[in-house]
Every structure is written in structure tokens, then in C-alpha cells.
Amino acid sequence: GTPVEHVLQVQPGERRDVWVNADVPGVTGEFAAVVTSTGAPVVVERSVYWTTGALRFGGGTNVGGRAVR
């Protein structure tokens, strides 16, 4: 598919959540990536949750980001 860009500014000490399928118009499929531009260390994680039967967030997974230089 065609890449979709979503710019988000986060201030020092601030935490932001992005629900990709709800917050980023034009996203389809299952692939997502994060690119950061900063002069300070940041933490990025990817959490995925799903509904199991009637239980919302009945399952999920979480992966921490890794610095690539």
C-alpha cells in the first residue's frame, strides 16, 4: 500500500498514545512503523490489543522499540 504519514509532537516528560486504526486517517492493513527525530533519548513501544468474545482487551502483546543508527 501507500505509506501514510502522521506527525505527532511530544514534549519532554509527556506520554502520548496513538490508536493507529482510529487516530491516523488512511491506514489500512497491519503494518506500522515509527520514525523519531529528536536530540534526546525517547522510548517507543508497540502495543496491540484485541477483543476475545465479549471481553474487550481480552488479549494483547507489547514490544519495546529499539534504537537504529
Side-chain angles (χ1 to χ4, degrees):
T2 303
V4 175
E5 183 176 315
H6 179 74
V7 177
L8 180 66
Q9 293 185 354
V10 181
Q11 299 302 315
E14 183 180 23
R15 174 190 168 141
R16 298 290 298 268
D17 296 326
V18 177
W19 289 56
V20 176
N21 58 337
D23 294 342
V24 185
V27 170
T28 59
E30 299 176 355
F31 179 79
V34 174
V35 176
T36 63
S37 175
T38 179
V42 297
V43 175
V44 177
E45 66 179 356
R46 183 209 64 189
S47 299
V48 178
Y49 304 101
W50 53 85
T51 299
T52 304
L55 183 60
R56 187 172 185 201
F57 302 120
T61 182
N62 180 277
V63 177
R66 179 176 180 276
V68 178
R69 298 194 196 290

